[in-house]
Amino acid sequence: VEHPPESLDIMTSNEIKDLIPYSPNHIRRLEDAGNFPKRIRIGGNRIAWLRHEVEDWLLQRVKERDAAVHLKMEERHQQSNSK
């Protein structure tokens, strides 16, 4: 399978730790539940994640936050109009 070079940019566990404030065990639980990108074993004792997958995961969290804020604003607007 051909992948564009940027899609093969990897993040190490230290980079994950700097970007995502979760413990390694919690990251593992999220992965196992299908709620975080799966790690790639790149060596006997080395793991990594595809950067674009982690960044997409984080962007999805931002979209969910923004959607929730927008919904809350609409609810307030409807409540103020119904008074």
Side-chain angles (χ1 to χ4, degrees), residues 43-67:
N45 293 317
R46 296 292 290 174
I47 56 172
W49 290 260
L50 292 176
R51 184 175 304 279
H52 77 275
E53 290 180 354
V54 173
E55 290 172 348
D56 288 349
W57 176 87
L58 194 52
L59 284 172
Q60 185 60 38
R61 308 286 81 68
V62 172
K63 288 178 186 177
E64 289 170 4
R65 177 209 57 194
D66 292 349

Side-chain angles (χ1 to χ4, degrees), residues 5-60:
E6 66 274 5
S7 72
L8 295 177
D9 186 20
I10 61 171
M11 296 182 75
T12 64
S13 54
N14 284 336
E15 290 175 288
I16 291 289
K17 186 171 41 174
D18 290 343
L19 184 64
I20 310 295
Y22 291 153
S23 71
N25 285 336
H26 190 61
I27 294 285
R28 170 71 79 182
R29 285 190 294 271
L30 290 172
E31 284 178 289
D32 290 346
N35 296 321
F36 193 79
K38 294 282 188 189
R39 65 189 64 208
I40 301 163
R41 184 152 305 279
I42 58 174
N45 293 317
R46 296 292 290 174
I47 56 172
W49 290 260
L50 292 176
R51 184 175 304 279
H52 77 275
E53 290 180 354
V54 173
E55 290 172 348
D56 288 349
W57 176 87
L58 194 52
L59 284 172
Q60 185 60 38

